[in-house]
Amino acid sequence: MKQSALQVLSRDFYDRDPRLVGPDLLGKILVRRDGRRLLTGRIVEVEAYLGAEDAAAHASIGKTPRNAVLFGPPGVAYVYFIYGNHYCLNVSCLPDGIPGGILFRAVDPIYGMKAMFKLRGINESSDLRRLTRGPGRLAAAFGITRERDNGKDLTSSRSDLYIADDGEPAPEVLITKRIGIKKAADMPLRYIVPGNKFVSG
DNA sequence: GTGAGGATCGTCT
DNA sequence: GACGATCCTCACA
């Protein structure tokens, strides 16, 4: 894949309701530049998180130092640490002042798999699905941490983390309930590419 | 293939 | 002090 063929998604793309941004992100490319290494993967599973009306969303309790990015401008990385072990990557949506975001749950690795295995700390002979299936695994495979990436602008190719369109036609989208949460568990805010082996659950 | 249980710590009450 | 937008390992089938 040629990097020049990638069109970085603009801030306008994220300046919408997460319920519109979520399905549109499927099929797009997550890109990490790590020194000279390039890591890429096709997004196949995301979840939308809203504001005060969504009890499962971090933003539902109001603005705090932790979740401030969700209340800021669109197209910015929100990375949080969970269960004492894992990081999860989100991107903020909606205009400055209105909270909302998308959680990246899985990607289908395209380039840099060898480096991803190393970052994940697992052997290359293990099941490929273990590489980037699930939000914690995805973040680890792309070397994403709160310290390094929280608050980072995802709309510039000069950034070492961004999301791009490679021109592939949009995939089929299936909407389901979100998983791994207790509150507001019935809201249909999970978007997946049906049949893709990296989709979790 | 499925299910139980533990690890581990930042964040908010 | 309790909990969580998770993952791993180990039993067992």
Side-chain angles (χ1 to χ4, degrees):
Chain A
M1 182 178 63
K2 280 186 174 176
Q3 194 178 359
S4 57
L6 295 174
Q7 185 77 33
V8 180
L9 298 184
S10 69
R11 196 169 312 286
D12 287 348
F13 179 90
Y14 305 100
D15 196 359
R16 298 181 288 157
D17 190 299
R19 287 166 286 200
L20 300 175
V21 177
D24 279 0
L25 275 172
L26 297 184
K28 300 298 190 291
I29 312 294
L30 178 63
V31 182
R32 163 66 109 191
R33 242 184 318 107
D34 193 17
R36 295 187 52 183
R37 289 190 305 206
L38 194 65
L39 312 176
T40 67
R42 192 174 303 278
I43 298 161
V44 297
E45 177 183 1
V46 299
E47 285 178 357
Y49 285 87
L50 313 178
E53 73 274 32
D54 179 5
H58 288 180
S60 67
I61 60 172
K63 190 174 177 178
T64 69
R66 180 201 194 195
N67 66 21
V69 169
L70 293 172
F71 290 78
V76 177
Y78 169 51
V79 182
Y80 63 87
F81 189 60
I82 192 69
Y83 293 119
N85 287 300
H86 308 290
Y87 292 99
C88 295
L89 172 67
N90 302 245
V91 59
S92 61
C93 297
L94 294 167
D96 196 0
I98 304 177
I102 298 290
L103 167 69
F104 295 89
R105 290 194 57 90
V107 305
D108 194 334
I110 297 172
Y111 190 80
M113 276 139 77
K114 194 164 185 170
M116 291 184 201
F117 273 113
K118 199 165 186 175
L119 283 161
R120 287 270 292 112
I122 57 177
N123 192 286
E124 286 182 45
S125 63
S126 49
D127 189 338
L128 195 58
R129 285 177 300 182
R130 296 187 63 203
L131 202 52
T132 54
R133 181 164 107 147
R137 293 173 180 149
L138 184 164
F142 278 73
I144 289 164
T145 67
R146 176 176 171 85
E147 295 72 24
R148 180 178 178 186
D149 298 304
N150 190 54
K152 188 169 282 182
D153 184 4
L154 298 183
T155 66
S156 167
S157 60
R158 290 192 303 276
S159 172
D160 64 357
L161 187 65
Y162 59 92
I163 300 159
D165 188 340
D166 71 345
E168 286 289 309
E172 184 187 347
V173 175
L174 183 63
I175 304 176
T176 78
K177 295 175 183 178
R178 295 177 294 188
I179 58 181
I181 55 172
K182 297 228 168 107
K183 304 175 211 163
D186 286 334
M187 295 174 83
L189 295 177
R190 175 168 171 259
Y191 308 95
I192 65 176
V193 177
N196 186 281
K197 66 180 180 179
F198 289 89
V199 172
S200 62

